[in-house]
Amino acid sequence: MAEAIQALYARAKAEVGQEDLTHIRNVTAYGQAIDARRRELLREGGPRAIRRATALEMMYRLMQFSELGHNIVHGSYDHLPDNGEYHSDRYDWDFNVDTGHWKTMHHAGHHPNTNIVGKDHDLGYSVFRGSAGQDWYGHHLGQVAFISALAAMAPIAAPFFLANIARKVEDRRFFSSYTLRAPARIARRDARRRFVDEPFRSGWKPLSTLVANYLGGVTGYMSVLFLVLIEHHAGELELFTDPGPDETADQYYERQIRATRNFLPSPQMDAALTRILEEEVPFENRPDLRIFYGGLDTHVEHHLFPDLPPSMQRKVAPEVRAIAAEYGLPYHETPLLETVPLIAKTLTGLSVPFGEREFGRPTDLLRNPASLLRRLRYGLSYRALPESPYLNKPRFYNVPVKVVSATPVADGQALSVRLGRPRGWEDVHWDAGAYVSVRVAVDGEELVRQYSLVRDSADSHADAEGDLELCVKRVEGGRVSNRLGDELRAGAYVTLVGTPQSSGDFAIPTPETPSLHIAGGVGITPIISLLRRIGRDACNAGTRANATLLYFNRDDRSIIFESELRELARESGVQLHVFTDAPSARGDLSTGRLGPELLQRVVPDAAERETYVCAPAALIDLTRGWLRDLGQPAERFHAESFTAPELDRPADDGSRYTVRFRRTGTAVEIDGATTLLEAAGRAGIAVPTGCERGLCKACVTGKLSGTTRGEGDGPLQERITVCTSTASSDIELDL
């Protein structure tokens, strides 16, 4: 599907030319004629003139937003020669918005994140609740009254309204010069024109001009708000959870199609507007009436091809409809007048905390008063519920997960944690040795750490609850592990960056395959998962496991899962050897440290065994060398360690590369030893990150062009971990 959409875009973009530029110049001239006639009617006065002036003001504002500014600022004509004032950086938009705020809110915030709850602040326009999947907060109780108040001062409120969305995208404070200075200037200029300059230039009719300008401004800006509101809210349109960095091009386009609606204009309304225009505004080359809806009645096409002009969007709409049908996707179209009761019903009904599962069936929530009270308590205190009860879709990225139990083990040196399986994860599977990445806020900083799951998904599914289990050991100076050990309790929530991942090197041996497992301290967590799998397979096959475990700890109080390991050894035949650094009074423990002599003595056939090691990186390297010296082939050695190694930087050979950031329009020059994450930091762009070794995938970013080091001999990658990527050519990133 993505290939079909991109091919259609490439062909349509190539067809945009002088004809489209001539069209938009003609639309501008038509708008100027409409505005000139509006001012003439104000000077004439009288009830009919006031009504006509109000209608012309509404149509002028619709045109300025739709066919003109909204699309021009998207860069619809930037690539054409002689585009003059129609370049996105030069266009003087006669609409009460700050263009910089608009680009932040719309280009950086809305289009990439269309209908993603928590990321698309156009959902409800940062204030309203327009979809049942949005979180509910206290002020939504009065949103109908708030919309009425907004309507009463729409032209003045518009720039502040938009600035509030832009500051949310950039995570800024509302009371700041960024948020308030430009809107105050725009509102002051508009108020002076509407209520001072034009009324006192209208001769002896200032009052009628005041009335016409007020009504025209309110109807114009509220018409725009209504039309943009219906594009992504209510009815059959879908909301989404954050797809994370692994969303494919197909998934991106599918989300845009499922989340967006076109509207079908009303013939009766169009006929009335056409009559007014023909009677009041003489114009030689009058454009089609659809210029008042441009990019809004073809909003599906606009979201697939945001920099195509509306004239081209209208041309390719039948082909977009055909692509949607071919891939079984809805192509949402709703008659304009049918959306009026739909939006009114939605805004009214969503003023109370019903989610997608209860909207239209309020008794479902009323039967569970505890859940209703919890929603009210959190919403009135402006806290988001971690379990996200409103959106009826599973989350697979940045997922809040409830702690079912947190039990100290190893004399309090570690914490055994059971996490409730998130809703919708019934079909999520992972192998033994897999890990999850946990995101934790520490001292205002977002940190990500990896923890092995001690059961594979089959073992986890065997429990009725299907919980995920991990073990967190205290680490000297550890910022995350120690914080979790101190604070994690049953009923709390932790955030998983994504679904369980496998390291790629822990392929599962069969029970009869001779295997050696070496764990140091908390390194037992992925190893016990492997051993549980081997033991389970051996029992199912009616055989004994040919596996040996060497487990090293500082002392007998540091041992994790000891009782279960011993039970596993008895039942499945795993050979268990537990060693401590310090002598133990217990007779079943040995004192010793891992080395070539111990390996030869305890596991004489170590070189012939598939070997799995989880320990600090230095010990892994030593063990690999000892086994190599004993004759073990390199392909039999498998290791896992979450200790971040030093980045293998290439030498600076004097090459310089430009890294461009598409969304922000910035660029920096770097050498070949600088990571793309560091380049983004120099440009002032915050990229989510965690492990900084490519494990957690928090920093995965779309690469639009260029080549990174390591890609030269293989296929080019569209998405890369910027924390480990360095440039070998100029690069453009989707940031």
Side-chain angles (χ1 to χ4, degrees), residues 296-319:
L296 300 178
D297 61 337
T298 54
H299 213 60
V300 174
E301 288 71 27
H302 175 72
H303 264 260
L304 296 178
F305 317 122
D307 67 340
L308 286 185
S311 50
M312 187 58 67
Q313 292 170 23
R314 293 188 277 268
K315 190 180 295 185
V316 302
E319 293 178 77

Side-chain angles (χ1 to χ4, degrees), residues 240-481:
F240 298 86
T241 58
D242 189 347
D246 295 324
E247 184 180 43
T248 65
D250 275 332
Q251 291 167 339
Y252 171 83
Y253 287 125
E254 180 176 349
R255 175 164 57 85
Q256 300 296 338
I257 292 171
R258 289 186 179 278
T260 311
R261 174 194 284 123
N262 291 352
F263 68 81
L264 302 171
S266 161
Q268 299 90 341
M269 183 180 295
D270 283 1
L273 296 178
T274 298
R275 185 174 65 255
I276 293 173
L277 289 166
E278 289 177 347
E279 291 175 358
E280 298 294 342
V281 186
F283 197 78
E284 184 176 344
N285 188 21
R286 193 184 302 274
D288 186 273
L289 196 72
R290 292 187 70 180
I291 64 168
F292 296 102
Y293 310 129
L296 300 178
D297 61 337
T298 54
H299 213 60
V300 174
E301 288 71 27
H302 175 72
H303 264 260
L304 296 178
F305 317 122
D307 67 340
L308 286 185
S311 50
M312 187 58 67
Q313 292 170 23
R314 293 188 277 268
K315 190 180 295 185
V316 302
E319 293 178 77
V320 171
R321 182 197 296 271
I323 290 173
E326 180 181 353
Y327 290 94
L329 294 175
Y331 185 84
H332 299 302
E333 285 185 308
T334 306
L336 179 60
L337 294 185
E338 289 184 14
T339 63
V340 176
L342 174 65
I343 293 297
K345 177 183 176 182
T346 299
L347 291 174
T348 303
L350 294 179
S351 60
V352 291
F354 295 131
E356 288 186 335
R357 280 170 287 184
E358 306 92 18
F359 190 62
R361 300 188 305 275
T363 56
D364 290 358
L365 184 58
L366 295 176
R367 292 193 194 101
N368 189 351
S371 177
L372 176 58
L373 289 173
R374 179 173 166 81
R375 294 186 190 187
L376 289 169
R377 186 171 71 252
Y378 270 75
L380 292 170
S381 59
Y382 287 83
R383 292 180 294 158
L385 281 160
E387 66 269 27
S388 303
Y390 299 106
L391 182 62
N392 192 26
K393 265 192 172 71
R395 297 174 67 170
F396 297 101
Y397 179 73
N398 280 346
V399 189
V401 180
K402 188 175 184 178
V403 177
V404 176
S405 65
T407 307
V409 295
D411 200 27
Q413 297 178 61
L415 195 68
S416 177
V417 181
R418 292 173 67 98
L419 302 174
R421 185 179 291 237
R423 178 167 53 89
W425 280 32
E426 291 78 15
D427 295 327
V428 173
H429 300 283
W430 63 91
D431 290 327
Y435 63 88
V436 289
S437 294
V438 178
R439 188 187 301 278
V440 181
V442 179
D443 301 327
E445 192 176 353
E446 293 285 334
L447 302 176
V448 177
R449 296 292 185 269
Q450 286 70 46
Y451 297 100
S452 294
L453 291 165
V454 301
R455 297 181 186 274
D456 65 12
S457 57
D459 199 6
S460 177
H461 273 303
D463 288 343
E465 295 81 10
D467 295 338
L468 291 76
E469 292 185 48
L470 50 87
C471 189
V472 181
K473 189 171 183 180
R474 299 188 68 84
V475 179
E476 185 175 351
R479 299 180 65 192
V480 174
S481 295

Side-chain angles (χ1 to χ4, degrees), residues 69-99:
H70 176 208
N71 292 282
I72 294 169
V73 175
H74 262 297
S76 297
Y77 308 97
D78 284 6
H79 65 296
L80 297 178
D82 304 321
N83 54 34
E85 70 274 23
Y86 295 102
H87 190 282
S88 60
D89 292 335
R90 296 188 293 269
Y91 185 66
D92 184 16
W93 192 359
D94 188 12
F95 200 76
N96 284 3
V97 299
D98 176 77
T99 304

Side-chain angles (χ1 to χ4, degrees), residues 27-95:
V27 171
T28 302
Y30 190 38
Q32 292 168 346
I34 291 172
D35 196 44
R37 178 55 183 157
R38 176 188 68 85
R39 291 194 297 270
E40 289 178 0
L41 287 169
L42 293 178
R43 286 191 292 272
E44 290 177 12
R48 182 180 182 280
I50 295 301
R51 289 195 300 272
R52 291 293 177 97
T54 299
L56 293 180
E57 167 82 353
M58 180 194 72
M59 287 186 278
Y60 177 77
R61 291 297 156 200
L62 277 173
M63 177 199 297
Q64 281 295 321
F65 180 84
S66 54
E67 192 89 358
L68 292 171
H70 176 208
N71 292 282
I72 294 169
V73 175
H74 262 297
S76 297
Y77 308 97
D78 284 6
H79 65 296
L80 297 178
D82 304 321
N83 54 34
E85 70 274 23
Y86 295 102
H87 190 282
S88 60
D89 292 335
R90 296 188 293 269
Y91 185 66
D92 184 16
W93 192 359
D94 188 12
F95 200 76

Side-chain angles (χ1 to χ4, degrees), residues 128-151:
F128 311 135
R129 188 166 181 249
S131 299
Q134 290 176 249
D135 286 348
W136 179 89
Y137 296 107
H139 68 274
H140 292 137
L141 285 169
Q143 69 178 16
V144 174
F146 183 81
I147 293 172
S148 302
L150 175 68

